[in-house]
Amino acid sequence: MIRNPIRNPFRHSLRKWPAALAAAAALAACAAARAFTPPPFPRIGGIQIGTPYDYNDPAYQAALARQSEMILGYYPGLSPGGRSFESDVQAIKALNPTALVFLYVNSDEQQIDAAGNADASLINQLNSMKWWLYTGSTFADPVLSFFGNGGYTINNTPYTPKDAQGDDSIDYITKWFVSNYYTPNPSIDGFFMDNVFTVPRVAGDWYRDNQLLPDTASSAAVALQAGYERWFSLVRQLMPGKYQIGNIATWYMGTSSLPAGYQKMVDGGVMEAMIGKSYSVETYAGWQAMMTQYYDTMGSLNAPQLGIFNQWGDPTDYQSMRYGLASCLMNDGYYSFTSNSAGYTGVVWFDEFNGNLGQAVSPPPTAAWQNGVWRRDFTNGIALVNPKGNGPQTVQLGGTFVKIKGSQDPSVNSGQTVTSVSLQDRDGIILLRQAPLEQPKAPTSVNIGSG
């Protein structure tokens, strides 16, 4: 899962629940629809939640603004270089008005010691209401986080005790994040909720009825799912007109179907490490299994389907990157490359990202095009991917295309005019048209409401 430092030390007291947010919630049902025009392909996404949070650096802002969708780290009171975080978001959007900026949030784990923590007011409430996940009735044994990072597991379900305002844990957590993350940063486009699991990772008393449920219990999964369904339902009411995305990496990794409540629950999310890790589906099950996961996950999202196809690797391994990018281009996701050395910090940029393919003129393909190679057509070019295990292949393009002119891998991106190309096993390429096609007849914009 995407790991963010649980919190940077920064003392902060909870703001009072503002009347403006209550009014916004009341008006959510009639919020105006939001117009969205999909960016051209390749659509580039980024996960930049790692420290240092140098979002005030003009060079970093310019790099971030080249992306169409990004997830940034935040904590209450963050002011890089003495500037407000909101001003940094505005600076990014001034460079790219269509860029979507999401803030990282997490409802399933926290540190238990509030001293010096930016999220102290949240932690104090978790402690006072005993909203941690426990293994017994004494409430003295909170369950450690599955990730082994020193944090503890929150019982983020609707089955926790209610506070004086009538809020259970997930209601309070949702309102806390809206008040402390969104209210001071209204220019953001929504939240990214990490770890939107379909099943728990740890055992515990999920229903607060003194019954210890193993992580494999179906009833435990139902409780956990109810918590995330409540998060997305409530956060939409409190942030009308904004998008809400999550970590959806594990939604289609097995044979079980996605829970009914998760269908169209999110507007997008991160399919983390689709390529490049030992636990990546592509690593242990192959390209077709990865693509099935990718297609199924994209199909479960609300429009405008802000799914991020994330790959890890060496930034100098251009063939692997082309393979991942071309795979991503077979559907409508945003491509994100994470450097093994830098992790979720900084922006990695490739020559291919500058190759404007325009809009898709063919739907996501469902079968290979030629010699086991897959192809998708765009107004300004085409993308080809040769799956792992298909061996080296040469394909005839059925027309004349132009290779991208680049400096990173000039033997491939040579700017040559070609009518055929040869691809290595586990390879891909972007080719440009000599003359753009007519724009697709299908609508290229959609209207999104608040829920």
Side-chain angles (χ1 to χ4, degrees):
M1 300 304 103
I2 291 177
R3 304 313 318 140
N4 186 47
I6 290 185
R7 288 296 162 237
N8 290 42
F10 186 90
R11 294 187 181 276
H12 180 78
S13 59
L14 179 63
R15 294 178 177 87
K16 296 294 184 181
W17 184 240
L21 281 177
L27 293 172
C30 59
R34 174 181 182 180
F36 176 85
T37 300
F41 291 89
R43 299 170 177 172
I44 306 304
I47 308 165
Q48 284 88 26
I49 63 171
T51 56
Y53 295 142
D54 294 333
Y55 304 129
N56 61 307
D57 181 352
Y60 196 15
Q61 291 173 354
L64 290 167
R66 300 179 79 181
Q67 304 172 141
S68 294
E69 180 182 2
M70 70 199 75
I71 301 166
L72 305 183
Y74 181 75
Y75 58 85
L78 176 65
S79 53
R83 292 162 44 96
S84 71
F85 181 84
E86 166 69 3
S87 67
D88 295 334
V89 174
Q90 292 177 356
I92 293 169
K93 287 178 171 288
L95 295 169
N96 181 2
T98 64
L100 299 177
V101 178
F102 295 88
L103 296 190
Y104 176 102
V105 297
N106 189 331
S107 70
D108 78 335
E109 62 171 349
Q110 249 298 354
Q111 291 177 343
I112 207 165
D113 184 2
N117 195 296
D119 295 350
S121 56
L122 173 60
I123 296 171
N124 286 333
Q125 182 76 350
L126 294 171
N127 287 330
S128 65
M129 290 302 300
K130 298 188 182 300
W131 280 337
W132 304 103
L133 182 67
Y134 297 95
T135 57
S137 59
T138 62
F139 307 121
D141 50 357
V143 178
L144 286 168
S145 168
F146 168 80
F147 300 103
N149 55 9
Y152 288 82
T153 304
I154 300 170
N155 187 337
N156 56 350
T157 75
Y159 305 106
T160 48
K162 296 183 183 297
D163 64 12
Q165 284 69 47
D167 291 330
D168 54 37
S169 66
I170 194 61
D171 282 357
Y172 182 91
I173 290 168
T174 307
K175 293 177 181 179
W176 189 90
F177 276 119
V178 171
S179 181
N180 288 275
Y181 280 51
Y182 172 51
T183 300
N185 304 297
S187 294
I188 65 169
D189 295 281
F191 288 152
F192 164 83
M193 170 59 72
D194 202 1
N195 304 338
V196 184
F197 297 137
T198 58
V199 296
R201 293 297 188 268
V202 292
D205 181 8
W206 289 100
Y207 289 91
R208 293 297 289 264
D209 59 0
N210 296 325
Q211 298 295 316
L212 178 62
L213 297 175
D215 58 300
T216 54
S218 59
S219 56
V222 170
L224 186 75
Q225 292 162 18
Y228 284 114
E229 290 171 22
R230 176 57 177 165
W231 160 271
F232 284 102
S233 173
L234 182 56
V235 78
R236 288 184 189 282
Q237 297 176 40
L238 301 178
M239 297 173 63
K242 300 294 184 178
Y243 300 119
Q244 301 299 335
I245 67 175
N247 192 324
I248 53 180
T250 61
W251 280 17
Y252 285 98
M253 291 183 68
T255 57
S256 59
S257 60
L258 190 68
Y262 278 38
Q263 289 286 350
K264 308 303 180 182
M265 183 176 74
V266 302
D267 304 312
V270 176
M271 291 161 272
E272 190 177 10
M274 294 289 278
I275 296 174
K277 292 291 189 180
S278 60
Y279 52 81
S280 299
V281 174
E282 191 267 352
T283 300
Y284 64 81
W287 184 84
Q288 187 59 67
M290 176 191 73
M291 295 303 286
T292 298
Q293 177 187 353
Y294 176 32
Y295 277 44
D296 285 349
T297 302
M298 290 294 292
S300 71
L301 306 178
N302 282 322
Q305 295 185 314
L306 303 171
I308 296 177
F309 181 111
N310 174 244
Q311 176 177 356
W312 282 68
D314 179 348
T316 64
D317 185 353
Y318 301 118
Q319 179 180 321
S320 289
M321 183 281 302
R322 291 194 304 269
Y323 167 69
L325 174 61
S327 297
C328 177
L329 285 166
M330 294 301 107
N331 207 299
D332 295 338
Y334 294 66
Y335 179 74
S336 163
F337 186 94
T338 302
S339 167
N340 287 332
S341 59
Y344 291 129
T345 301
V347 177
V348 183
W349 202 260
F350 297 98
D351 290 335
E352 282 77 3
F353 294 0
N354 300 318
N356 183 358
L357 288 170
Q359 297 297 334
V361 295
S362 62
T366 57
W369 161 68
Q370 185 182 136
N371 297 348
V373 173
W374 289 57
R375 168 174 170 164
R376 193 176 186 197
D377 281 57
F378 303 85
T379 52
N380 298 337
I382 61 175
L384 305 175
V385 59
N386 189 26
K388 179 173 71 173
N390 194 45
Q393 298 291 337
T394 297
V395 292
Q396 302 301 316
L397 302 175
T400 302
F401 292 84
V402 181
K403 289 187 173 183
I404 290 172
K405 181 68 174 178
S407 60
Q408 293 172 329
D409 194 358
S411 63
V412 174
N413 294 333
S414 61
Q416 288 180 308
T417 300
V418 294
T419 57
S420 67
V421 291
S422 296
L423 298 172
Q424 298 300 311
D425 186 77
R426 201 172 181 270
D427 197 359
I429 196 168
I430 286 176
L431 300 170
L432 301 179
R433 299 183 188 277
Q434 291 182 306
L437 296 177
E438 183 180 342
Q439 288 291 328
K441 303 299 185 186
T444 56
S445 65
V446 292
N447 287 329
I448 305 300
S450 61

